[in-house]
Amino acid sequence: EAGYREVPLADGPVLGTPFFASPAQIQGLSADGRTDIYSLGVTFDTMLTGRRPFTGRSPDSVVRKHLEAPRPSIRMKRPTVARMIELIVQRMMAIRPEGRYPSTRALRRDLELFLASQPLLRPREQ
């Protein structure tokens, strides 16, 4: 695909699905908690928008997007999503592990800060 630079993929089989695999998994590199944070970010993006952030004609085209494509804007697909949530998910899905949350504790802190500033939703009376 035009505009993508060549990034090596893992030599052997990659565990996980192309839609949710982290760049480290795709490249066969060692994984840590930030790998799970990446995949959770993809899950959040999918839940918030109803669509996977990266799609393609083949598994290879999907994994290349995880490695090289700009992170998709959640708010472009669903403008009602809070900007802070979009920023949290984008950080979760940073291509390089150093750009992601260093731990689930740090991620939880930001999610709790967001939730603390939001009014509670009341169930609809039926």
Side-chain angles (χ1 to χ4, degrees):
E1 295 176 19
Y4 291 115
R5 60 185 167 72
E6 192 66 28
V7 174
L9 301 178
D11 291 334
V14 175
L15 296 178
T17 67
F19 297 109
F20 296 90
S22 74
Q25 289 172 295
I26 293 165
Q27 293 179 294
L29 303 174
S30 62
D32 60 18
R34 295 171 297 181
T35 299
D36 294 333
I37 289 171
Y38 182 92
S39 297
L40 182 60
V42 175
T43 302
F44 280 8
D45 186 295
T46 303
M47 289 171 51
L48 290 167
T49 65
R51 293 181 274 175
R52 293 178 180 129
F54 301 116
T55 59
R57 292 180 182 222
S58 70
D60 185 57
S61 68
V62 174
V63 298
R64 290 258 173 232
K65 290 177 182 176
H66 282 283
L67 294 170
E68 302 159 351
R71 305 298 88 174
S73 168
I74 291 172
R75 291 171 47 89
M76 290 291 289
K77 295 180 214 170
R78 188 158 174 218
T80 57
V81 171
R83 176 75 176 132
M84 186 171 172
I85 289 296
E86 180 176 55
L87 293 172
I88 289 170
V89 173
Q90 286 178 344
R91 184 172 179 193
M92 293 171 75
M93 291 178 58
I95 294 173
R96 298 177 54 86
E98 303 81 33
R100 290 183 215 135
Y101 286 94
S103 66
T104 54
R105 180 174 292 139
L107 168 60
R108 189 178 90 198
R109 183 196 65 233
D110 275 3
L111 289 170
E112 287 174 344
L113 286 171
F114 170 75
L115 291 172
S117 69
Q118 300 301 306
L120 293 176
L121 297 176
R122 295 182 186 188
R124 292 183 188 174
E125 293 187 1
Q126 310 221 337

